[in-house]
Amino acid sequence: MRRVLTIVATLWLALGCLAQEADSGVVVDELSQRYDAFFLEAMVQRHKGNQTAAFDLLRHCLEIRPDASETLFFLAQYYNALKDRDRALDYLSRAVSYDSTNPIYLETLAEAYYANNDYENAAETYEKLVALDKSREDIIETLLQLNIQMEHYQKAIDLLNRLEELNGKGARLSVTKSEIYNTMGNHTAAVAELKALADKYPNDMNYRAEYANMLLQGKQKKQGVSMLEGILDEEPDNMRALVALYNYYSNVDANETVADSLFERMLLNRNATQDTRIQLFREQIQKSEAEGGDSTRVLQLFGKVLRQPQPDADIAILCATYMDLKQMPRDTISTMLERVLAIAPDNAAARLQLVSYAWSAEDRNRVIELCKTARQYNPEEMAFYYYQGMAYYQNGQKEEALGAFQNGIGVINENSNPAIVSDFYAIMGDLLHEKGLKQQAYEAYDSCLQWKQDNIGCLNNYAYYLSVEGESLDKAEAMSKTTITAEPKNPTYLDTYAWILFRQQRFAEARIYIDQALQNDSDSSAVIIEHAGDIYAQCGDTNRAVDLWLEAKKLSADDDNKVLIRKIKLRKYIKE
C-alpha cells in the first residue's frame, strides 16, 4: 500500500510545502532562504541518485528548521533504509505532528507502526487518514483487518457498515459481519445479517445456504436442514448446501450413512473444483487411517471419481500416492500412473515414478522407452536425460548414452541439482575418454568438479587417466588423495593413488598403498595385482613381482597380454 514517490511527486511535495509556508504569511528572511536553497538542492541530489549528498543536505536542513515536516519525512526514509527504525518512526511521527493533514505522511506513519507490530497506533493513524478521505476503501479494509486482529469487534462492525455505505450490501461484507457477530456471541445478529442478505437476493441459492448454515449453528437446526434440503431440490449441485449438510450430519447428528452419501455427492459434483476434491480425499484418507486404515472405501471413491467424464490427473496422482502409502503392489500403482499419463501425457512426476520403478527392476529397455517419450513432453526435465543415458550406458550402448548426456547438458540451469549435473559430466568424461577424446574428457571432468568438487568417482577416474598419460601428476595426486580420505578401504581408489605415486617414482610409498589395495581387493582384480607386481619390481623385490604378475595373468581376460608376458619372461618392469 506504500506509495512510491516519483521525481515529479517528490518535487511537488517539496515545493508545495515551501509554497504553503509563503502563503501563510511567514516572513521570508535570510534563514528561510537558506533552508529553501538547501532543501531544493537535497531533492535535486536525491533524484540524481546522490543519496549520501541528499542525506547530508537534509540533516543540515533540519538544523536550520527542526520543525520542517518535509525534511523529517524524507530523513525518515533514509533512516529506515539504514535499519534505524526507531529514529525513522520518531521522524515520521514528528512530521505528522507538524503537518497532521498530509495523507502521505499519515499513511507512511501508519505502515511504519504496522511493520513494528504496533497495531493500536497503526489503527489510530489509519482512522485519521480515513477522516481526511472517507472514500479510501483500501484504508478502511486495512483498518478492518487490524481491528479484527486486535479483537475490536464493534469497531470492525462499524467499518463494515462504512464499506456497505460505499458499495452496498454484498455477500463478502455480510458473511464477514455475521462471523464477527457470532464471535461476539450475538448469534441473533449473525442470523439476521445473513437473512437480510438472503432476502435481498432471493434467487441466489448460495446466500440462502449461508443463512441456513448459520441456523444450524444455533437452535434452529430443523429449519436450517429443511432450508438446505430445499436448496438441493432446486439446485442438486449446490456445493455450499452440500458442505453445510455434510458437516451437520457428520459432526452434529452423527448420521454416518447420510454423511457418506453427501460426501460422495460432493466428490462427484460437477461444480466441485479440483482443489476441493483433493481436500475432500485427504480428509477421507485421514479419517480412514484414524479408523484402522481400511482402504476399500477410499479406493472405491477414487474409482468413481476417475470414471467421471474428463477425470483429473491430480486425482489420479493422489490415488497412486495413496496406493503407495498402503504398500500396494507396484504393478497396481504403475497401472494408475499409466492412467495419469493417459489423462496428462506431460505429467513429469508420474513418468518419473514409472522410470524409478523400471530402474529398480533393472528393466533398462523400459527406462529408455519411458525417457524417450518423456523428452517429447518434458524436454526441460534433466532427470529423464540422466536415466536414459545411464540405461544406455549399462546396456553397453555408449554412443547413445553419450548423445543422451550431451542433450541433457542443454537443459542445465542454475536451479539444477548439482549432484545430478556432476554425474552427467563425470559419465560423459568416461565415455569421451573411451572414444580417445582425451581433451574433451578432461573438460567434462573439470565441469563435473565445478558442480560438485567432491565427486569421488570423477576424481578417481580423472586422476588415474592423468597418471596413465603421465600428465599433471601433482594435480592427480591431490585428487586421488581426496578419494582415499573419503573411502580409505576402497581398493580401486587405493590402487589409483599407489599408481600415481609409482609414476612419481615414489616407489616405497606406492608399495604401502598397493598393499592396502590388495588387502581390500576381495574380487582379485587383475589390474590391481599387475600394478602391485610393477611396484614391487621397482622396489627391488623381483620374486614377489613375478609371483604377482603370474597371478595377474591367470585372472586376466586378455590371454595375449604381451607386455605382461614379457615382464614375466624378463623378470623386470616394462613400461607400456
Side-chain angles (χ1 to χ4, degrees):
M1 188 162 38
R2 181 178 296 281
R3 296 179 174 179
V4 178
L5 293 177
T6 63
I7 294 175
V8 174
T10 306
L11 288 175
W12 174 85
L13 176 63
L15 292 169
C17 293
L18 298 177
Q20 186 179 31
E21 177 187 282
D23 291 344
S24 64
V26 174
V27 177
V28 182
D29 55 17
E30 183 181 350
L31 197 65
S32 295
Q33 289 177 353
R34 285 182 59 217
Y35 172 82
D36 294 351
F38 278 111
F39 183 76
L40 288 174
E41 180 60 22
M43 295 299 99
V44 170
Q45 294 302 320
R46 174 184 172 90
H47 292 297
K48 283 183 176 180
N50 302 328
Q51 304 301 340
T52 302
F55 182 53
D56 290 339
L57 286 163
L58 285 168
R59 287 194 297 175
H60 187 59
C61 288
L62 199 60
E63 292 174 2
I64 299 171
R65 275 192 51 195
D67 63 343
S69 58
E70 64 277 6
T71 296
L72 287 163
F73 174 76
F74 285 110
L75 278 173
Q77 295 181 34
Y78 283 107
Y79 283 118
N80 191 56
L82 292 169
K83 308 298 182 186
D84 190 347
R85 292 186 178 178
D86 290 340
R87 185 175 295 188
L89 189 59
D90 176 56
Y91 277 33
L92 280 173
S93 180
R94 286 166 60 188
V96 168
S97 71
Y98 294 128
D99 189 356
S100 59
T101 60
N102 188 308
I104 295 176
Y105 295 176
L106 282 167
E107 188 168 353
T108 306
L109 177 61
E111 290 172 352
Y113 280 133
Y114 190 89
N116 281 359
N117 298 322
D118 187 349
Y119 301 141
E120 292 288 352
N121 275 319
E124 183 181 338
T125 309
Y126 279 126
E127 281 284 7
K128 292 177 182 177
L129 195 56
V130 173
L132 289 175
D133 185 356
K134 294 180 172 57
S135 67
R136 287 288 302 275
E137 289 183 44
D138 57 331
I139 300 299
I140 297 174
E141 290 278 4
T142 301
L143 197 50
L144 170 64
Q145 296 306 318
L146 269 172
N147 279 291
I148 292 174
Q149 194 167 349
M150 294 187 293
E151 300 183 2
H152 295 172
Y153 295 125
Q154 188 53 55
K155 286 185 178 180
I157 294 292
D158 294 340
L159 288 163
L160 286 165
N161 289 332
R162 286 196 213 178
L163 289 170
E164 282 188 342
E165 289 173 10
L166 291 170
N167 297 315
K169 198 169 193 65
R172 183 179 67 87
L173 299 179
S174 292
V175 170
T176 303
K177 197 188 295 187
S178 178
E179 289 173 350
I180 292 173
Y181 277 132
N182 216 26
T183 303
M184 294 168 69
N186 190 346
H187 184 71
T188 301
V191 171
E193 188 64 36
L194 291 181
K195 183 179 185 303
L197 180 67
D199 289 344
K200 184 173 181 179
Y201 303 99
N203 295 323
D204 194 316
M205 297 295 109
N206 287 327
Y207 296 158
R208 287 175 62 187
E210 292 284 358
Y211 172 40
N213 189 42
M214 186 58 70
L215 291 174
L216 290 179
Q217 296 177 40
K219 296 180 180 179
Q220 298 165 288
K221 291 181 173 54
K222 287 185 178 180
Q223 183 182 347
V225 170
S226 176
M227 188 177 295
L228 289 169
E229 289 174 344
I231 292 169
L232 291 175
D233 286 339
E234 293 186 49
E235 291 186 5
D237 292 325
N238 188 291
M239 277 297 290
R240 293 192 186 185
L242 284 169
V243 170
L245 270 180
Y246 171 73
N247 288 335
Y248 172 73
Y249 281 113
S250 60
N251 297 324
V252 179
D253 197 51
N255 191 326
E256 190 171 342
T257 302
V258 177
D260 285 348
S261 174
L262 288 165
F263 185 86
E264 196 165 313
R265 284 179 66 180
M266 288 190 292
L267 272 179
L268 301 176
N269 193 330
R270 58 189 176 87
N271 293 330
T273 65
Q274 169 188 320
D275 289 344
T276 298
R277 286 197 178 96
I278 288 175
Q279 183 58 38
L280 289 170
F281 266 117
R282 285 175 177 163
E283 290 175 5
Q284 187 67 27
I285 289 169
Q286 288 176 355
K287 178 183 176 185
S288 172
E289 292 302 300
E291 293 174 353
D294 184 359
S295 62
T296 306
R297 164 124 176 108
V298 177
L299 291 173
Q300 285 175 347
L301 291 171
F302 271 120
K304 287 183 179 181
V305 171
L306 290 171
R307 283 193 293 273
Q308 295 295 301
Q310 298 180 330
D312 188 88
D314 286 345
I315 298 295
I317 278 281
L318 184 61
C319 182
T321 304
Y322 178 68
M323 289 175 170
D324 187 58
L325 171 71
K326 303 307 292 182
Q327 298 181 339
M328 297 180 71
R330 282 192 173 180
D331 288 347
T332 303
I333 302 173
S334 294
T335 300
M336 183 54 62
L337 291 171
E338 294 282 5
R339 188 164 186 178
V340 173
L341 295 177
I343 300 168
D346 61 345
N347 192 300
R351 206 178 300 274
L352 197 56
Q353 188 62 52
L354 285 170
V355 169
S356 174
Y357 288 160
W359 185 264
S360 298
E362 298 185 3
D363 189 347
R364 292 188 284 271
N365 291 330
R366 171 71 170 152
V367 171
I368 291 167
E369 282 304 311
L370 284 166
C371 291
K372 189 180 294 184
T373 305
R375 286 172 53 182
Q376 297 174 17
Y377 290 102
N378 308 103
E380 76 293 341
E381 183 56 61
M382 190 175 62
F384 293 121
Y385 298 89
Y386 176 77
Y387 279 110
Q388 187 180 28
M390 289 297 294
Y392 275 134
Y393 186 68
Q394 293 187 4
N395 265 359
Q397 298 170 268
K398 295 182 180 178
E399 285 294 334
E400 291 84 351
L402 184 58
F405 286 121
Q406 287 175 328
N407 288 331
I409 287 172
V411 303
I412 292 171
N413 57 55
E414 59 184 11
N415 298 318
S416 299
N417 185 319
I420 294 179
V421 176
S422 180
D423 283 346
F424 255 70
Y425 282 112
I427 299 168
M428 276 183 58
D430 295 344
L431 290 167
L432 289 165
H433 197 275
E434 285 185 37
K435 288 170 64 69
L437 302 172
K438 184 178 68 174
Q439 192 55 43
Q440 292 182 39
Y442 293 165
E443 289 172 1
Y445 289 143
D446 286 331
S447 295
C448 163
L449 297 174
Q450 285 178 4
W451 281 88
K452 192 172 185 291
Q453 62 183 5
D454 62 344
N455 188 313
I456 304 302
C458 173
L459 287 167
N460 176 74
N461 291 357
Y462 195 0
Y464 182 70
Y465 292 141
L466 285 174
S467 72
V468 170
E469 299 293 336
E471 298 178 7
S472 305
L473 292 177
D474 290 341
K475 177 181 178 180
E477 184 201 350
M479 290 192 294
S480 184
K481 187 66 178 288
T482 301
T483 69
I484 63 170
T485 300
E487 297 185 25
K489 293 188 177 182
N490 186 307
T492 301
Y493 299 165
L494 288 164
D495 171 63
T496 297
Y497 190 61
W499 191 247
I500 294 167
L501 295 174
F502 175 83
R503 296 306 301 268
Q504 291 176 320
Q505 299 186 11
R506 295 158 62 182
F507 304 125
E509 294 176 74
R511 187 169 65 177
I512 294 171
Y513 288 97
I514 201 65
D515 283 345
Q516 292 180 37
L518 291 170
Q519 291 169 12
N520 289 282
D521 184 21
S522 57
D523 294 331
S524 299
S525 164
V527 173
I528 293 176
I529 295 170
E530 184 177 352
H531 282 168
D534 296 344
I535 291 169
Y536 269 90
Q538 294 299 84
C539 287
D541 191 342
T542 303
N543 291 334
R544 175 64 172 152
V546 171
D547 289 343
L548 288 163
W549 288 332
L550 286 168
E551 185 179 351
K553 187 175 183 301
K554 290 179 184 177
L555 296 170
S556 178
D558 182 7
D559 293 332
D560 192 29
N561 188 333
K562 293 179 181 179
V563 174
L564 181 57
I565 292 169
R566 287 188 67 205
K567 289 177 188 177
I568 297 169
K569 183 177 181 180
L570 299 175
R571 295 177 61 83
K572 69 175 183 178
Y573 168 70
I574 298 171
K575 186 176 181 179
E576 294 185 34

